[in-house]
Amino acid sequence: CRMGNDPKQSVINKYHRAHDVPNLFMVDGSSFVTSGRNQPTCTIQALAYRASDNIIRMAKAGEI
């Protein structure tokens, strides 16, 4: 599921939130366009932490 700003060309935004389903967050390795050379676990964890920070911020603001 491609990550990007344009809903016509991507599935999720930079916080892993789906463009079409507002309360759907895809926080895994599916946004990687290719497989990496090394273990991607740390990168996936960093993206998950970033997404969770954004989820908390949006929940406090009443956006989700």
Side-chain angles (χ1 to χ4, degrees):
C1 60
R2 184 174 295 268
M3 183 188 302
N5 295 327
D6 184 0
K8 293 179 182 178
Q9 296 183 2
S10 60
V11 177
I12 57 176
N13 67 14
K14 64 183 178 181
Y15 297 112
H16 285 252
R17 186 178 192 181
H19 293 296
D20 293 337
V21 183
N23 289 333
L24 176 63
F25 293 83
M26 291 178 251
V27 184
D28 59 10
S30 65
S31 62
F32 297 168
V33 293
T34 60
S35 60
R37 290 177 29 200
N38 296 324
Q39 179 58 268
T41 303
C42 289
T43 304
I44 293 170
Q45 287 175 331
L47 291 171
Y49 287 133
R50 181 178 179 204
S52 65
D53 284 342
N54 188 58
I55 291 169
I56 291 168
R57 183 192 58 77
M58 290 186 338
K60 287 181 179 179
E63 298 175 17
I64 58 172

